[in-house]
Amino acid sequence: MSAVNKVLIVGGGFSGMATAIELRKHDIEADLVELDTSWRPEGAGISLGAATLRALEKLGVYEEFEKEGHHSTGADLLAPHGALIAHISGGGVEGSEVTGEGAILRPKLGKILSNKVLELGTNVFLGNSFETIEQDEHQVHVTFLDGTKKDYDLVIGAEGLHSKLRGQFFPNAPTPEYVGQGVWRAVIPRPSEINSTRIWLSDDVKIGVNPCSDANMYMFITESRPTKDHIDPILWTNIMADLIKPFPDPALQALIPHLFEEGANIDYRPLFNLLMPAPWNKGRVVLIGDSVAATTPHLASGACIGIESGIVLADELHRQSTLQAALDAFHERRFKRCELVVKNSARLSEIEIQHGDKQEHGQLMKTSFQAMAQAI
């Protein structure tokens, strides 16, 4: 018998959807509320390492990813003029035949996951969220923004970096910390000769392209920015183009005009990280994903650890006979893994900002991916 029968998930992002999918596989009733009426993840593309692909396989959507996204093996690290510095080979992961890595447009991955959520019978309420949450020893009593009231055995918060639930139930939790870098992303046509990730490195700027479909790839640019200043979106295209111009590689220069085309979907975000100490629950309210463990994209594992946490939480809620036992097992399996990704990503960011030891940078990436390849 499962530890819970009826669960509320607050937030319909990747972590929340993964949780809903796995709960329904275990015949646990799940309601999901999401304020965004279009239920469409923002952003351009998303890189998916082998560990993330394994998680998609667990969710039962890996075949859909292969149809909509792009699967590749390895990445080329290049000097600004295009000379090869190193090739990083993608390996396998424990418990799966999946190897290599991939990429997909964020809205497409969101659609794949939301279709699965609905297919398995999750009750989804868009344009709605909680207004008040109170709990006692046996249940959580929720009043929603639309005035309805329901009781649950557990509330799972998957709201993201700026979680309202974290503010309410963990008032002394650390706040998101700006790391001193920002990331630019755009969707551009994929030249036929680019079949896997390419990353150009300079002292202060890192530029990458990653195929995300047969027709498109997404470009990402990480740059050092000491302060978190607002940047007017009207300037984004020109700023992104100016960041590329100092890189003399003709293959990279040829991509600049595509930034000015319709559909480039340019996006800029300052980078933050957050690691809240365990436990991540207060009674019958538990937080997952970016709400408690938000990371920079240096290991391409932010979505991965959130999705994994949803899978593990649902698994333990099904396996254990009491809620406390399930939450204890969840924290035992998740905290150190999430901590590794958040802290190692933060260190990679520091090395890039400080023009630090590239050997340390490379070794840290290698050991991190080896750890992510282990079973969840």
Side-chain angles (χ1 to χ4, degrees), residues 281-342:
N281 75 293
K282 188 65 64 74
R284 292 178 174 269
V285 177
V286 62
L287 307 185
I288 65 169
D290 285 353
S291 297
V292 286
T295 182
T296 64
H298 293 79
L299 290 171
S301 296
C304 180
I305 57 175
I307 292 171
E308 286 182 346
S309 288
I311 292 171
V312 170
L313 179 57
D315 179 47
E316 294 298 341
L317 289 171
H318 171 66
R319 292 198 315 118
Q320 307 291 339
S321 59
T322 68
L323 178 58
Q324 190 58 57
L327 293 173
D328 289 345
F330 165 71
H331 288 114
E332 178 66 26
R333 292 174 63 182
R334 293 310 301 161
F335 181 78
K336 289 184 179 179
R337 188 175 178 89
C338 292
E339 179 185 45
L340 178 141
V341 171
V342 174

Side-chain angles (χ1 to χ4, degrees), residues 44-356:
I46 179 171
S47 295
L48 308 174
T52 318
L53 298 181
R54 173 181 57 191
L56 297 184
E57 183 181 51
K58 171 66 175 174
L59 294 174
V61 298
Y62 180 73
E63 290 185 0
E64 286 82 356
F65 157 74
E66 286 200 311
K67 293 175 185 176
E68 297 287 349
H70 184 89
H71 186 261
S72 59
T73 302
D76 288 334
L77 302 182
L78 307 171
H81 58 284
L84 181 67
I85 298 173
H87 177 78
I88 301 175
S89 297
V93 288
E94 186 175 339
S96 173
E97 298 298 319
V98 170
T99 60
E101 52 275 325
I104 191 171
L105 296 176
R106 280 181 176 267
K108 285 192 175 183
L109 180 57
K111 188 64 175 176
I112 289 170
L113 291 172
S114 63
N115 285 344
K116 193 69 173 179
V117 167
L118 295 172
E119 174 192 323
L120 294 176
T122 303
N123 306 308
V124 176
F125 304 94
L126 301 181
N128 202 5
S129 188
F130 73 94
E131 182 172 16
T132 63
I133 291 182
E134 298 178 356
Q135 60 176 317
D136 55 36
E137 184 180 350
H138 303 289
Q139 284 188 314
V140 187
H141 311 288
V142 182
T143 300
F144 294 94
L145 294 175
D146 64 2
T148 59
K149 298 181 179 182
K150 291 186 180 181
D151 295 334
Y152 297 92
D153 300 317
L154 178 69
V155 171
I156 300 171
E159 304 163 285
L161 189 65
H162 304 292
S163 168
K164 285 176 58 180
L165 285 169
R166 187 181 66 239
Q168 177 177 340
F169 288 93
F170 300 91
N172 297 320
T175 57
E177 180 181 359
Y178 177 60
V179 303
Q181 285 183 308
V183 63
W184 302 83
R185 296 183 176 97
V187 179
I188 57 178
R190 179 172 75 88
S192 58
E193 65 272 16
I194 297 183
N195 294 304
S196 59
T197 304
R198 295 185 184 182
I199 300 174
W200 291 262
L201 304 173
S202 71
D203 284 339
D204 294 298
V205 177
K206 177 173 65 179
I207 302 175
V209 293
N210 199 350
C212 55
S213 71
D214 291 339
N216 295 314
M217 60 185 182
Y218 86 94
M219 173 181 285
F220 53 91
I221 303 178
T222 304
E223 64 159 338
S224 299
R225 282 187 173 266
T227 57
K228 183 182 69 66
D229 301 319
H230 171 74
I231 303 175
D232 191 331
I234 200 171
L235 304 174
W236 286 1
T237 304
N238 285 322
I239 292 175
M240 197 168 180
D242 288 342
L243 289 170
I244 300 172
K245 288 176 182 177
F247 289 71
D249 186 352
L252 186 53
Q253 291 295 311
L255 302 179
I256 293 177
H258 294 303
L259 298 176
F260 295 87
E261 296 173 352
E262 185 177 356
N265 196 26
I266 292 176
D267 176 66
Y268 171 75
R269 297 189 184 190
L271 296 180
F272 295 85
N273 62 24
L274 170 72
L275 182 66
M276 194 174 91
W280 293 337
N281 75 293
K282 188 65 64 74
R284 292 178 174 269
V285 177
V286 62
L287 307 185
I288 65 169
D290 285 353
S291 297
V292 286
T295 182
T296 64
H298 293 79
L299 290 171
S301 296
C304 180
I305 57 175
I307 292 171
E308 286 182 346
S309 288
I311 292 171
V312 170
L313 179 57
D315 179 47
E316 294 298 341
L317 289 171
H318 171 66
R319 292 198 315 118
Q320 307 291 339
S321 59
T322 68
L323 178 58
Q324 190 58 57
L327 293 173
D328 289 345
F330 165 71
H331 288 114
E332 178 66 26
R333 292 174 63 182
R334 293 310 301 161
F335 181 78
K336 289 184 179 179
R337 188 175 178 89
C338 292
E339 179 185 45
L340 178 141
V341 171
V342 174
K343 289 191 172 182
N344 286 6
S345 295
R347 178 55 188 154
L348 290 170
S349 176
E350 289 176 355
I351 293 171
E352 292 176 3
I353 292 171
Q354 298 167 3
H355 307 165

